[in-house]
Amino acid sequence: IAMLKIENLHASVAGKQILKGLSLQVQPGQVHAVMGPNGAGKSTLGNILAGREGYEVTEGSVSYQGRDLLELAPEERAAAGVFLAFQYPVEIPGVNNTYFLRAALNAQRKVRGESELDSMQFLKLVREKLAVLHLKDELLHRGVNEGFSGGEKKRNEIFQLAVLEPKLAILDETDSGLDIDALKNVAEGVNALRSPERAFLVITHYQRLLDYIKPDVVHVLADGRIVESGGPELALELEAHGYAWLKDRVAPEK
Ligand code: ADP
Ligand code: MG
Ligand code: MG
């Protein structure tokens, strides 16, 4: 049974139709890459799955672990294991990164009816995760987003992922703006967190991240629909031929 089953999803933003009949199924343990040109609707898809505001689903369905995902509030989705790395809108100097993350984890545990972790328990968890990711603890003591470089922000996303232990992790352009070493770091983190129970939706415009994160399935999203799906070789073909190569394949609108 699919962990995530998206059928004929249509959605609009600010009155503009963005998703136009998108269908996609993800099994536990799989890594799916969603590639596509700018403006195709990749981020829209991630945001809709996470329940971000401002998107209107006009048709279609999304089932997650057998439940109607679209009926759930964003915090219920997070508590059920759907993760979209949160971009902190602003720097919050003085508010410790670890403190913020513990609050996020405890909020999710509360929705699940689990006890909250005290600071000692949380610190233990954090130490375990840092070891899994081969990270130093320098991120912990920083203020939220305070002076983070692009690479540090992305590493922090992976750290959030490790601590929150989602079942469905959505990474949107986690590779953008990273140099090759930072890219490898992020990929190693993702690979360390792959497990039979966890699925990843890796959204990326470029193929290069997929040199390091080997996807099970690659989808091309163009003009609001999946126009092609295949194995890792599809990403390489795209890299070689560019998105124009797929233009002829965009199915007529439903
Ligand atoms: P991608 O991530 O594939 O580059 P997006 O999902 O970000 O594409 O955007 C798809 C389309 O929706 C683009 O044409 C973009 O301009 C438009 N769009 C996204 N968010 C908004 C918004 N908040 N208001 C208006 N248009 C938006
Ligand atoms: Mg974009
Ligand atoms: Mg995007």
Side-chain angles (χ1 to χ4, degrees):
I1 184 168
M3 168 190 277
L4 179 70
K5 189 171 183 181
I6 305 173
E7 285 185 308
N8 193 33
L9 189 63
H10 289 65
S12 59
V13 182
K16 184 181 166 197
Q17 190 80 23
I18 308 296
L19 300 185
K20 303 172 182 175
L22 186 149
S23 299
L24 177 66
Q25 287 197 30
V26 179
Q27 310 292 335
Q30 288 185 329
V31 174
H32 286 237
V34 176
M35 302 182 69
N38 259 323
K42 303 183 299 296
S43 294
T44 298
L45 173 63
N47 290 335
I48 285 174
L49 294 176
R52 298 258 160 99
E53 269 175 46
Y55 300 89
E56 195 195 354
V57 172
T58 53
E59 205 182 323
S61 64
V62 181
S63 111
Y64 168 73
Q65 294 184 325
R67 305 163 79 178
D68 181 353
L69 187 70
L70 302 177
E71 286 295 309
L72 302 180
E75 56 276 13
E76 292 173 317
R77 300 182 195 195
V82 177
F83 171 89
L84 178 63
F86 30 98
Q87 309 289 342
Y88 302 113
V90 288
E91 295 187 8
I92 316 179
V95 177
N96 184 283
N97 195 30
T98 319
Y99 175 87
F100 203 91
L101 190 52
R102 177 156 75 99
L105 177 62
N106 277 336
Q108 293 188 8
R109 291 178 63 93
K110 202 171 171 189
V111 174
R112 291 197 291 261
E114 298 166 5
S115 65
E116 298 188 9
L117 299 186
D118 64 27
S119 49
M120 290 303 288
Q121 292 167 316
F122 184 70
L123 200 61
K124 185 167 175 284
L125 176 70
V126 159
R127 298 257 170 252
E128 282 169 25
K129 299 305 178 182
L130 287 173
V132 169
L133 297 175
H134 305 290
L135 286 179
K136 299 201 185 74
D137 66 359
E138 58 197 348
L139 284 176
L140 304 181
H141 311 295
R142 303 272 285 275
V144 170
N145 249 3
E146 199 173 352
F148 277 21
S149 69
E152 285 171 336
K153 278 185 187 163
K154 299 303 174 181
R155 231 178 307 158
N156 199 43
E157 282 184 20
I158 302 302
F159 179 56
Q160 290 173 3
L161 200 165
V163 168
L164 296 176
E165 302 181 318
K167 292 285 185 285
L168 175 65
I170 303 161
L171 304 175
D172 187 5
E173 306 280 2
T174 297
D175 50 343
S176 62
L178 296 187
D179 62 32
I180 203 75
D181 288 332
L183 189 74
K184 281 185 189 169
N185 273 330
V186 163
E188 277 167 19
V190 168
N191 288 330
L193 297 172
R194 287 177 82 152
S195 89
E197 295 83 37
R198 178 172 296 139
F200 287 85
L201 211 53
V202 178
I203 297 172
T204 180
H205 180 72
Y206 297 106
Q207 189 270 335
R208 57 181 200 157
L209 182 65
L210 305 180
D211 285 336
Y212 306 105
I213 301 173
K214 193 116 176 102
D216 298 292
V217 187
V218 174
H219 307 277
V220 181
L221 174 53
D223 195 25
R225 283 183 293 269
I226 303 289
V227 296
E228 189 81 35
S229 298
E233 73 286 349
L234 178 57
L236 296 170
E237 281 184 87
L238 270 178
E239 185 77 353
H241 304 294
Y243 286 108
W245 170 66
L246 281 165
K247 239 177 160 176
D248 307 338
R249 308 193 187 197
V250 179
E253 199 165 325
K254 275 193 268 185

